[in-house]
Amino acid sequence: QNYCTAIHGLANCKSKSNKIALEAESILHRMISRGIKPNTYAYSCVIDAWKGCSEFVEDAPYRAESILNEMDQREQDICKPNTITYNSIISAWAAQCTRKNHLDERRNREKPAFRAEEILLRMQSRFDETGEHNVKPNTITYNTVIKAWSQCGNAQRAENMLQAMIERYEQHGGLNAVRPDVISWATVIDAWSKSNAIGSARRAGNVLKQLESLHESSLVWTKNDRPNTICYVSVIDAWSRSGEEGAGEMAESVLSLMERMQHETDHGMQREKKHDVKLTTYAFNVTINAWAKSRVEDDRIKAGDRAELLLRKMQRLYQLGNDEVQPDTITYNTVLSAFSAANDIDRYFTKDPLKVTELRKFNANRAEILLHEMSVEYKKGNSKSRPNVRSYNAILKILSKSGCLDSADRAERLFLQCKSLEHSPDNNQNRETKYRKGKLATSKVDHITYNTLINIIAKSQNYPNRASRAQALLYEMHDSYFGGNVGAKPTTVSFNITLNACALSVDNPS
């Protein structure tokens, strides 16, 4: 018992190195050398120790499997592996899918998921042959393998495992142990939402429809089975990532469905089968993002209007007492990104150049109005609407392609406002989670801010001394970077656009 207690204690220690697992394994072998027969619990604890460091130690799953093989070789009832033992090893392999040091080749990246599935099939085969219920795969077993495939980026294999799970459930007369739960479905939907495959958004939607259909016809409707908010938001996210024509419309239709379901539940219209779905700020933000990322010209032209309508809807719902949909900084910034969608239309290849030109000017004006609205809300005490550097970068981007004669003057004013945020008392308290590349969005002016401002000045023909001003901003970037603002580090683009400002300048040939 003392040995088991020691191994269990080590297994519960979270460590990024293999020292804890090696110590647990050495205690296990010490037991054996002294004639003490370890039981299943002792072996499982050692496997758990290796599982705990699998994300960081490359050979951890192999070591865990070697312990499993040792259990099989002993062929003693006291140390037979069970479902928990197998699940731990599958989890160890699944954790390897998040490691970043694997080779980029798909085969190597998917190797852990393949191994996790092989162990599941090994469990399944053993249960089918012997009927031993202590090695029967359960919902956790399948969900872990589905997650492994999802993390490897193979949504098709993740869906295949879900379908295999459903078939097995139906074939065995409804064994509750292998019944798919909402986690099973949500993981597959999320896998499709993050997939780069063509038509992945529709595949995510089809999986959700299958879930809805199964439960509409089922007599069982429990909280663990029914579609929830995560499932629907994942489908919206799939459309926002797809860039397909009509993606914004499709994302908004899913959001409208969520709204209807919440309305039915709130007003007692679904007494027998209540929906586990509610509108959230995140759901709205992802829908707005679907419009902001539009790639088709017709969608880009109406992206700003549709995004703003969604923002106003959030504000109305919040004023009516729904605190779950309060607009935040991310909401406003995503709407600003939607305003800039029209800027990405090439005016030389558009169907209506005049309309696009006017729309760009209009978007520049309403972007500044929205920024002012954010600032007013923040000053009223709404800390969630505080503008940050991404807010200003988005507006500067819009101004850079607006064609307004006063773009440079307006950009200079916005630049000063952005710099003043650095001295705000809660500068470090209200930050967006992170950039796409993992960098935190603070209130400090960064290289994007500087570069966009320099570019606007370089292209502004009526701006006095633009070459001198561009060069001064480049030097300011340099000083800011060496003063501790890592985000302001000058890039090749910074030098190129400064040179461009000098080349286009006629006021000072030097």
Side-chain angles (χ1 to χ4, degrees), residues 331-484:
T331 312
Y332 286 102
N333 287 353
T334 312
V335 174
L336 290 172
S337 295
F339 288 164
S340 71
N343 291 4
D344 297 323
I345 301 173
D346 194 322
R347 68 176 69 188
Y348 297 107
F349 294 96
T350 182
K351 304 172 188 174
D352 193 342
L354 182 61
K355 181 178 180 180
V356 171
T357 301
E358 292 302 317
L359 183 60
R360 288 178 175 181
K361 292 179 180 179
F362 175 64
N363 282 338
N365 293 331
R366 65 174 170 177
E368 286 196 68
I369 293 172
L370 190 61
L371 177 67
H372 177 70
E373 183 182 318
M374 289 179 71
S375 300
V376 170
E377 283 292 314
Y378 174 63
K379 289 175 182 177
K380 286 181 180 179
N382 181 9
S383 61
K384 290 186 176 181
S385 68
R386 181 176 186 264
N388 60 18
V389 69
R390 297 192 74 180
S391 314
Y392 285 92
N393 287 349
I395 298 178
L396 289 172
K397 180 185 176 183
I398 295 170
L399 278 173
S400 70
K401 293 187 178 181
S402 67
C404 298
L405 296 176
D406 60 346
S407 293
D409 293 330
R410 291 160 71 176
E412 287 274 24
R413 186 181 70 252
L414 289 166
F415 179 69
L416 291 175
Q417 290 178 17
C418 188
K419 288 180 71 175
S420 69
L421 292 176
E422 298 180 27
H423 309 292
S424 178
D426 57 347
N427 180 29
N428 294 319
Q429 293 178 6
N430 184 34
R431 303 187 291 179
E432 287 185 32
T433 52
K434 51 188 174 180
Y435 278 114
R436 286 288 177 192
K437 294 183 179 180
K439 297 179 181 178
L440 289 172
T442 68
S443 299
K444 287 189 176 183
V445 175
D446 60 13
H447 71 279
I448 298 174
T449 321
Y450 279 106
N451 289 352
T452 312
L453 176 59
I454 295 172
N455 190 42
I456 293 172
I457 291 172
K459 294 179 179 179
S460 181
Q461 296 181 4
N462 60 344
Y463 192 92
N465 301 317
R466 51 180 166 167
S468 301
R469 179 57 180 153
Q471 193 171 359
L473 286 168
L474 181 64
Y475 290 151
E476 187 179 319
M477 286 181 73
H478 178 274
D479 294 341
S480 179
Y481 171 64
F482 283 99

